[in-house]
Amino acid sequence: MPGQRKRRNRQEAARRRRAETPGRWEPLFSTQDEVEFRDHVRRLYEEGAVTADQLRLDTFCGRLEHPTTYRVSVFVPKARP
C-alpha cells in the first residue's frame, strides 16, 4: 500500500520515544458507537489536549454476544520524584 512504510516508520519512532519514558496507558473514553468515538477523538485533536503520540485508539472486535467496543487511552508519564 502507498505510504505504509512512512506510517510504519512514524509509528516505530513514537513507540521508541514512549519506551524511553516510563508511564502507563489510562483509559479516557469508551463507547460502542463508532461515530461518537470519531467525534471524541476529533475534539481532542481540535482542542489541542493531546498529540497523536499520546493517544492509543483501540477497537475491540465484537461477536454476537459482545458488540464492538471502541476505546481511547492516553499515555500518562510516571511522575518523577
Side-chain angles (χ1 to χ4, degrees), residues 13-79:
R15 195 172 296 127
R16 280 193 298 272
R17 281 193 304 273
R18 281 193 303 268
E20 295 169 0
T21 307
R24 67 187 185 286
W25 289 102
E26 202 169 282
L28 184 66
F29 178 75
S30 183
T31 185
Q32 293 178 353
D33 183 19
E34 186 177 2
V35 175
E36 186 180 4
F37 170 71
R38 288 185 200 168
D39 288 342
H40 188 78
V41 172
R42 184 179 40 78
R43 269 187 266 121
L44 287 173
Y45 283 134
E46 287 175 354
E47 293 170 0
V50 293
T51 62
D53 293 344
Q54 297 171 324
L55 279 185
R56 185 174 76 184
L57 308 175
D58 297 316
T59 302
F60 300 105
C61 296
R63 298 287 188 261
L64 294 175
E65 295 178 15
H66 305 287
T68 301
T69 303
Y70 305 94
R71 184 170 68 187
V72 178
S73 299
V74 64
F75 186 75
V76 180
K78 185 176 181 181

